């Protein structure tokens, strides 16, 4: 089972981000290669989520540049990021609780729809055909993530682990080239974590999606990622394969804990 | 239809010939459906015949020959069913394997049946087979249906179904007569399937049936309940189980009815509601689970709905079974029942997906009387049947209108039953197995010289000619004072309570009956939540004093019930404990068909059994468990033991 990693698809150069006097990120640079699974780790407040927010344009860095597929931005804009094929999930699930799983995932297709609000409301002719096409795409994702049994269930009634999976499904519905996962396994039990790891790997393998994920469970990180970037107080202190990171003294001191 | 060469018409005496016959007689009727991507996809008989033809040709092109065995592993998928017909068309033998088997169990079948070709559902099964390759080097071809996750596998044995199908189409074009010639070359006395028995006691045995025996059984079944092409079934039971093979394959091919494959094992309830099958077959456990789910939801319903439900269920209990059997019922009750039907029973049948059920069967284990009455009282024609893998489940069935709770029905046409001196039931049936695969010794042990199959069950024929089963012949024992002890009978009584998932009774050669109980986490968990009782998981829940009280009540009720049955009153349950671990097939405590392996359990939990009989009230124990991913772990618990009052024998109130 070998995957071929491509050229860097995303690089962040010298990113610095400050909120007033608080420096969230300081001169952070790294790149992600196509088809790669990159993990960002670090203690609480290290700037991991801020980094994701910079990549998809929620935060505006004061310094630095983002390059995505050979184009450079001083700052990304969220809708532009989405259109370019960057999708994400959130640390705190951000789904429409009252809507069914199916409808939630359908919202992930919105950018791909040609018809506007009025035409979508008319369930007729080309609009009908378009909706059927999108529904089919969504059904493939439902099948892929094995959530057929809750297709029509309102998201609010699902257990936490399944909601996380639905959020992943919605992100996948946008057919992203780059997927940002903010703590996809937080709060899960061992079995749910195993399932989620499997799905992340499957997504990467089946669709070739490049994945950047933030995760606290070191077992998971070391198992599924090709490369790990370590942040501490907004600085990058490590970048390498899981084995290299395990052996990096600075990382051990700052994060994994010093063995006594 | 080509009649080249031999000049024979295909006829209907083998399964592939039956398939061709349906494709000729009702080409455009729907033969199969499968819910895929949220939509029911369907295949007509003609399309199924084509698919089977290409699959067979593809297998042949890859070297599958007459006399070879095709392993089939997975959930109920149309393509896997076509695998049966394709293997049979080529004169090979399909051998389905339980999809939840662990790798070691699979290895036994792979070696025993010398499987060189396997048709499997998905990555899960592919992974298991690949893991076994070093031990089963004979396995040269693994064909998989669902390519999900298999993109980067490059083992030379692997071949996607789609590709094999294309190979088959090309082969068919190059050899247009090949398929018909192969189908004509087969005979009714060829072996049509090998089904492995669950092995309650020892290694599984491969039961070999011929086309003739299996078809005779299926034809008998179809005639008995007058099934035809308008019927439809939902196939959701393991394909390796005789019940599913008979019902979703053999009977479907005889009657020409539609087989519907659910989307996934988790969606069966929804799919059943959408399809509305007319014919349904399930082991008692499934009926039990359905009822438990319904009861849980009723408990959560509003007060008015609960009142309506209980009010009308009382009516249904009073006159429902009589109405079903066509016995006289008073006008007032008839009217009340009709009202109940529109307010409660109808909607309930709808929720269960049983609105269109004409005939429902249960078998494989005894069904709780209350459970049985429940379904019949709400207008579902649930009947019992009796049979084994070895007899193609063609022994006894309850005729319409003659449903007795404690009988498994009357012998079917062509069946002869003899009760041996030790009470064991011997059967001669048209659906008799040919042999156990490669086990002439076992074959000789199971079939008497004059051709009866020795079932191993103890029972008797009553005055109306109905067969009644007491227990496994070898399990029926005696307490020290000589009282009859039928463990399964007791366990079934306990298991009828929704709170009790599994029970194991001990008592043979001892002075009293004691029991292990497994609580049903779903039902008891719900009960606990309602009472604001916090718990961390099964082990914690099982040890709660409140749960012990709950189970104590159940056991007491069983004892009260037993006290009214003269010959079993002495075997009331004196002590019990709630086991700290759920019995699991992965730990060999249950068979794959979820029957308890009493002997194995007694050995594994010996300290607990001893504690039950030496009067102690607590016992500390450590137990090895195997997790789903194959890792092993240890569960430690301090198990409490509870005494139950046993009553004096009473006469049943009339």
């Amino acid at each position: 089972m070998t995957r071929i990693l491509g050229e860097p698809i995303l690089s962040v150069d010298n990113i610095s981000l400050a909120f007033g006097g608080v420096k969230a990120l300081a001169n952070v640079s790294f790149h992600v290669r196509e088809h790669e699974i990159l993990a960002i780790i670090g203690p609480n407040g290290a700037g991991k989520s801020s980094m994701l927010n910079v990549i998809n344009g929620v935060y505006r860095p004061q310094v630095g540049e983002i390059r995505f597929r050979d184009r450079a931005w001083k700052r990304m804009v969220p809708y532009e990021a989405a259109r370019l094929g960057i999708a994400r999930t959130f640390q705190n699930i951000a789904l429409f609780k009252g809507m069914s799983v199916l409808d939630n995932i359908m919202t992930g297709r919105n950018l791909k729809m040609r018809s506007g609000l009025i035409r979508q409301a008319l369930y007729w002719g080309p609009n009908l055909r378009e909706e059927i096409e999108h529904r089919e795409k969504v059904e493939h994702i439902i099948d892929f993530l094995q959530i057929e049994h809750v297709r029509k269930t309102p998201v609010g009634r699902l257990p936490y682990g399944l909601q996380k999976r639905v959020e992943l499904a919605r992100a996948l519905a946008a057919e992203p080239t780059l997927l940002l996962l903010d703590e996809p396994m937080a709060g899960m039990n061992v079995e749910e974590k195993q399932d989620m790891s499997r799905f992340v790997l499957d997504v990467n393998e089946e669709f070739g999606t490049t994945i950047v994920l933030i995760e606290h469970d070191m077992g998971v990180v070391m198992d599924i990622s090709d490369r790990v970037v370590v942040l501490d107080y907004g600085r990058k202190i490590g970048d390498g394969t899981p084995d290299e990171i395990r052996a990096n003294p600075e990382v051990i001191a700052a994060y994994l804990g010093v063995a006594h | 239809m080509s009649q080249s060469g031999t000049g024979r018409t295909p006829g209907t005496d083998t399964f592939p010939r039956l398939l061709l016959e349906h494709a000729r007689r009702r080409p455009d009727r729907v033969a199969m459906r499968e819910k895929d991507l949220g939509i029911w996809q369907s295949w007509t008989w003609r399309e199924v015949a084509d698919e089977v033809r290409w699959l067979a040709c593809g297998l042949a092109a890859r070297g599958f020959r007459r006399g070879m065995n095709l392993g089939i592993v997975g959930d109920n998928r149309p393509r896997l069913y076509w695998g049966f017909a394709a293997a049979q068309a080529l004169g090979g033998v399909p051998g389905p394997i339980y999809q939840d088997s662990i790798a070691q169990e699979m290895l036994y079948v792979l070696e025993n049946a010398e499987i060189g070709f396997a048709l499997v559902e998905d990555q899960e099964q592919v992974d298991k087979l690949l893991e076994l390759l070093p031990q089963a080097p004979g396995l040269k071809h693994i064909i998989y249906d669902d390519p999900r996750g298999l993109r980067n596998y490059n083992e030379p044995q692997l071949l996607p179904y789609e590709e094999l199908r294309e190979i088959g189409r090309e082969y068919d074009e190059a050899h247009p007569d090949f398929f018909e010639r192969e189908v004509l070359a087969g005979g009714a006395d060829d072996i049509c399937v090998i089904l492995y028995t669950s092995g309650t006691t020892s290694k599984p045995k491969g039961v070999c049936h011929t086309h003739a025996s299996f078809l005779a059984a299926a034809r008998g079944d179809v005639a008995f309940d007058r099934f035809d092409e308008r019927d439809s079934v939902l196939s959701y039971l393991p394909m390796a189980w005789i019940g599913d093979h008979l019902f979703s394959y053999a009977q479907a091919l005889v009657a020409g009815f539609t087989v519907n494959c659910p989307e996934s094992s988790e969606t069966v309830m929804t799919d059943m509601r959408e399809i509305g099958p007319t014919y349904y077959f399930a082991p008692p456990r499934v009926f039990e689970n359905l009822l438990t789910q319904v009861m849980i939801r009723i408990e959560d319903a509003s007060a008015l709905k609960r009142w309506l439900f209980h009010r009308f269920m009382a009516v249904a209990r009073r006159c429902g079974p009589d109405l079903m059997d066509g016995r006289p019922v008073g006008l007032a009750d008839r009217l009340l029942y009709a009202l109940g039907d529109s307010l409660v029973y109808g909607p309930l049948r709808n929720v269960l997906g049983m609105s269109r059920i004409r005939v429902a069967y249960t078998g494989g284990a005894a069904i709780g009387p209350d459970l049985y009455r429940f379904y019949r009282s709400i207008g579902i024609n649930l009947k019992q049947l009796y049979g084994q893998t070895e007899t193609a489940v063609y022994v006894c069935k309850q005729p319409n209108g003659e449903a007795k709770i404690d009988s498994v029905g009357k012998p079917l046409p062509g069946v002869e039953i003899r009760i041996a001196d030790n009470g064991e039931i011997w059967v001669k049936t048209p659906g008799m197995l040919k042999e156990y695969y490669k086990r002439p010794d076992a074959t000789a042990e199971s079939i008497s010289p004059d051709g009866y199959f020795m079932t191993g069950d103890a029972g008797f024929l009553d005055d109306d000619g109905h067969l009644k089963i007491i227990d496994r012949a070898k399990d029926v024992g005696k307490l020290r004072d000589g009282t009859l002890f039928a463990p399964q009978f007791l366990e079934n009584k306990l298991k009828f309570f929704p709170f009790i998932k599994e029970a194991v009774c001990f008592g043979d050669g001892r002075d009293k009956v004691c029991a292990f109980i497994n609580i049903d986490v779903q039902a008891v968990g719900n009960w606990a939540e309602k009472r604001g009782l916090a718990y961390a998981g099964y082990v914690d829940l099982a040890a709660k004093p409140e749960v012990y009280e709950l189970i104590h009540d159940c056991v007491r009720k069983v004892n009260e019930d037993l006290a009214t049955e003269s010959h079993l009153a002495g075997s009331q349950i004196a002590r019990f404990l709630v086991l700290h671990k759920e019995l699991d097939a992965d730990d060999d405590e249950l068979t794959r068909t979820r029957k308890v392996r009493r002997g194995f359990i007694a050995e594994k939990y010996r300290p607990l059994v001893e504690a039950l009989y030496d009067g102690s009230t607590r016992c500390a124990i450590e137990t090895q468990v195997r997790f789903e991913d194959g890792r092993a772990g240890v569960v430690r618990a301090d198990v409490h033991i509870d005494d139950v009052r046993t009553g004096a024998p009473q006469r049943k109130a009339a």
Side-chain angles (χ1 to χ4, degrees), chain A residues 1-3 136 139-140 143-146 148-149 151 191 194 198-199 202 205-206, chain B residues 35-38 123 147-154 263-264 266-267 628-629 631:
Chain A
M1 285 188 250
T2 46
R3 291 176 305 126
E136 196 182 334
E139 284 293 342
H140 276 287
D143 179 57
F144 191 82
L145 295 178
Q146 297 171 3
E148 300 98 334
H149 59 296
R151 186 187 281 127
E191 196 176 335
Q194 276 183 357
R198 194 67 249 167
F199 286 123
D202 281 351
E205 243 173 57
E206 277 300 301
Chain B
K35 196 170 180 189
D36 187 28
L37 301 181
Q123 185 185 21
R148 180 179 185 282
L150 291 167
R151 184 179 298 266
N152 295 313
Y153 283 43
N154 33 33
E263 188 168 23
S264 82
E266 280 109 38
T267 59
E628 265 184 8
D629 59 3
R631 284 177 304 129

Side-chain angles (χ1 to χ4, degrees), chain A:
Chain A
M1 285 188 250
T2 46
R3 291 176 305 126
I4 298 146
L5 300 183
E7 292 299 305
I9 183 172
L10 169 84
S11 39
V12 291
D13 298 323
N14 272 319
I15 294 285
S16 291
L17 172 74
F19 301 103
V22 182
K23 277 210 142 204
L25 295 168
N27 286 324
V28 178
S29 305
F30 63 87
H31 67 272
V32 189
R33 296 169 66 188
E34 201 167 4
H35 310 312
E36 189 172 40
I37 300 182
L38 177 88
I40 302 180
I41 65 171
N44 284 331
K48 308 182 295 293
S49 291
S50 297
M51 192 65 240
L52 286 202
N53 283 332
V54 165
I55 294 175
N56 85 326
V58 177
Y59 291 160
R60 172 183 211 156
Q62 281 80 14
V63 185
E65 192 179 75
I66 301 159
R67 293 188 72 84
F68 182 65
R69 297 164 120 189
D70 302 325
R71 276 183 65 191
W73 279 267
K74 280 288 170 202
R75 72 158 292 194
M76 187 69 90
V77 198
Y79 66 81
E80 181 74 16
R83 193 162 300 161
L84 288 167
I86 302 178
R88 72 170 293 181
T89 67
F90 297 85
Q91 189 171 352
N92 305 311
I93 296 169
L95 291 164
F96 303 100
K97 302 265 182 217
M99 277 165 44
S100 71
V101 168
L102 179 65
D103 288 339
N104 264 288
I105 305 174
M106 281 297 267
T107 61
R109 298 290 303 169
N110 211 22
L111 266 183
K112 305 265 173 194
M113 295 206 185
R114 288 182 302 274
S115 49
L117 179 68
I118 307 285
R119 283 181 53 198
Q120 279 181 33
L122 298 171
Y123 194 60
W124 169 80
N127 310 319
L128 177 63
R129 273 197 300 280
E130 192 188 6
E131 174 135 348
I132 289 173
E133 277 169 36
H134 287 296
R135 171 72 188 267
E136 196 182 334
K137 287 260 164 48
V138 167
E139 284 293 342
H140 276 287
I141 293 163
I142 289 178
D143 179 57
F144 191 82
L145 295 178
Q146 297 171 3
I147 44 179
E148 300 98 334
H149 59 296
V150 293
R151 186 187 281 127
K152 302 256 167 83
T153 314
V155 162
R157 276 180 28 204
L158 295 180
Y160 185 75
L162 267 181
Q163 292 196 14
K164 284 263 179 190
R165 214 189 289 176
V166 175
E167 218 190 13
L168 175 61
R170 182 181 60 185
L172 284 180
E175 297 174 52
T177 38
L178 175 64
L179 184 58
L180 310 175
L181 305 175
D182 196 348
E183 301 202 19
M185 287 151 225
M188 288 188 171
N189 64 29
V190 177
E191 196 176 335
E192 287 171 332
K193 277 185 187 176
Q194 276 183 357
D195 282 351
M196 194 49 134
S197 305
R198 194 67 249 167
F199 286 123
V200 170
L201 287 172
D202 281 351
V203 166
N204 175 255
E205 243 173 57
E206 277 300 301
F207 309 125
T209 314
T210 310
I211 296 174
V212 176
L213 67 108
I214 295 176
E215 184 49 54
H216 277 297
D217 184 316
M218 279 310 114
V220 169
V221 167
M222 298 299 174
D223 271 358
I224 70 175
S225 38
D226 299 303
R227 212 151 47 80
V228 181
V229 166
V230 191
L231 297 181
D232 189 25
Y233 293 111
R235 289 181 312 120
K236 184 172 98 169
I237 58 168
D239 184 344
T241 64
D243 286 336
E244 287 163 9
I245 291 301
R246 260 194 218 104
N248 181 330
E250 200 180 347
V251 174
I252 294 171
Y255 186 42
L256 297 177
V258 184
H260 296 287

Side-chain angles (χ1 to χ4, degrees), chain B residues 16 19 32 48 51-53 55-56 59 64 68-73 77-96 117-120 143 161 164 192-193 239 245 249:
Chain B
L19 174 62
M32 270 202 146
V48 169
E51 292 287 345
V52 168
R53 181 188 189 97
L55 177 56
L59 285 170
F64 189 86
M68 286 187 178
N69 298 328
L70 175 70
I72 296 177
V73 204
R77 296 276 160 238
R79 286 166 166 187
L80 300 194
Y81 283 111
W82 302 337
F84 284 104
Q88 290 169 344
L90 297 173
V93 184
F117 285 75
L119 175 60
V120 305
I143 300 125
Y161 185 98
L164 185 76
C192 73
V193 69
M239 292 180 73
H245 191 63
Y249 186 73

